[in-house]
Amino acid sequence: MKDILAKLGIEDVNQGASTGSWLDCKGTLLESVSPIDGQVLARIQQCEMGEYAQVMDTAAKAFQEWRMWPAPKRGEIVRQLGEELRAHKEELAALVTMEMGKILQEGRGEVQEMIDICDFATGMSRQLYGLTTHSERARHRMFEQWHPLGIIGVITAFNFPVAVWSWNTTLALICGDVVVWKPSSKTPLTAVACQKIAEKVLKRNGVPDGVCSLIIGKGSSVGDALVRDARVPLISATGSTPMGKRLAAIVGERLGRTILELGGNNAIIVTPNADLSLAIPNIAFGAIGTAGQRCTSTRRIIVHESIHDTLVEKLAAAYKTVSIGDPLQDGVLMGPLVDQGAVKDLQNAIVKVKAEGGTMVCGGEVLSGPGYESGCYVTPSIALVKNEYEIVQEETFAPLLYIIKYSGSVEDAIALQNGVPQGLSSSIFTNHFIESETFLSAMGSDCGIANVNLGTSGAEIGLAFGGEKDTGGGRESGSDVWKCYMRRQSNTLNWSGKVALAQGISFDM
Ligand code: UN1
């Protein structure tokens, strides 16, 4: 462990703010506690408003310069960041695992997502296309161009502590923006590690201080200040729906922009035409992967009554084989939840499931004894429920899978799937063309992500990532999401040498 921390430049006590140079922070000490064994990994001297002011001044100044770097040159910086991440993949993945508890395979997957988005953004830096169109006036030219936006505030959650920063930062950087990152207080060390990796690249390329900054401090002080700061035209935030609603109101008041990636309540529909040998492993990964702590985790299975009992039986059997334990060990498929608070949330949800009339099929026990001393290990659970239960309508960020029976057609299943406030990810398992086309049509899934014959989680970086309704409507990552990080300018040029008004207006003087 010490070796991994040392390789990433993590010290016993680390500063909580950097602009590329680390500041002397005045705030209280924050401990990073590993959910694996409850031990303190290292500490952070948190930043306060004085350091915050310094970070923002440096970021504002850096933007003046950075926005004038050619985009492909900015892309070259991001390409090098990808190389640096390749070189640090193993230790960064291990730190993600140690700090938040996902299994090492998934830690590696998360760092791979960072590398992938670096490659994507590098290519994108030569493709920030604006369009041209034809003017209704003779000898006029019309086109649009995309300019950098400014300081981007990036607020990330514990569950993808490094990938979500990279989705935002790589795009922001190629777009000519500068970034101020406020990570979750549950995962400060992975943030320090990323900042240090980025700094190596930025420094050796003469990128000014302030292009990539980090603030680790209390949400109620520096987090709140970032959200309220009129110098920040865009806040990109990942977290719960209540957090997003609070944040959107504050940013909306000052007419800032947001990219919100909030709660999901992701369902998989399993129709009578599904191949269960595909469905079962995908459901298990979706519900148990990252111990059910992905925004995209599978929370609900909507299964046709004709195959309900078979599916429950097969799934329960699969759940029995899941090894739970130290996420750094090979063969372990489920590590701990992030902290004991998350365990309590799960237990409360199970109480509510039962109170509303649901039946537990398996799981929900808190493990104790050797190897489980942190109190964060649980068995993955399955419950038979109805979609309209209050608790089923909420996102419980834990390995608690609801099974809901449907009768009738795929339309009935889709109505259940859409019958929740959230709209992030969704899937259908079917080999029936008409069922899958219905699911993907305008009358189908209302989610930002809709998959056929694969699960709800584990999206690649190439498409836009995000969802509708209570998920917040934001999009991050691939496709044309870069446009969210730029301002669009519409330009018309008159080279006719004559006055020419649009819409045929004459205004003779
Ligand atoms: C998240 O849980 O916030 O699609 C992000 C996935 C990952 C990203 C999840 N690529 O599951």
Side-chain angles (χ1 to χ4, degrees), residues 113 159-160 164 167 238 261 293-296 397 449 456-460 465:
E113 277 199 50
N159 65 330
F160 272 78
V164 175
W167 297 348
T238 302
E261 208 263 278
Q293 298 171 112
R294 292 191 188 216
C295 303
T296 50
F397 221 56
I449 299 170
T456 56
S457 66
E460 299 177 22
F465 181 88

Side-chain angles (χ1 to χ4, degrees), residues 422-436:
Q422 310 83 352
L424 179 54
S425 187
S426 58
S427 301
I428 191 168
F429 278 83
T430 180
N431 284 332
H432 197 299
F433 170 70
I434 294 174
E435 284 183 335
S436 61

Side-chain angles (χ1 to χ4, degrees), residues 45-63:
Q45 189 85 51
Q46 296 187 95
C47 87
E48 285 193 338
M49 288 309 291
E51 298 86 75
Y52 173 80
Q54 230 176 307
V55 167
M56 295 308 290
D57 287 349
T58 314
K61 205 156 141 254
F63 176 61

Side-chain angles (χ1 to χ4, degrees), residues 70-86 113-129 166-167 169-175 201 461 477-479 482:
K73 289 224 157 58
R74 299 191 297 245
E76 167 57 18
I77 305 298
V78 172
R79 188 192 67 76
Q80 292 182 34
L81 177 61
E83 290 298 296
E84 210 60 53
L85 287 167
R86 281 182 172 87
E113 277 199 50
M114 303 175 83
I115 295 167
D116 294 343
I117 195 74
C118 285
D119 289 354
F120 179 90
T122 302
M124 206 75 244
S125 71
R126 292 180 183 269
Q127 301 172 78
L128 305 177
Y129 299 122
S166 72
W167 297 348
T169 299
T170 55
L171 290 187
L173 289 186
I174 62 147
C175 291
V201 175
I461 56 92
S477 188
S479 185
W482 62 270

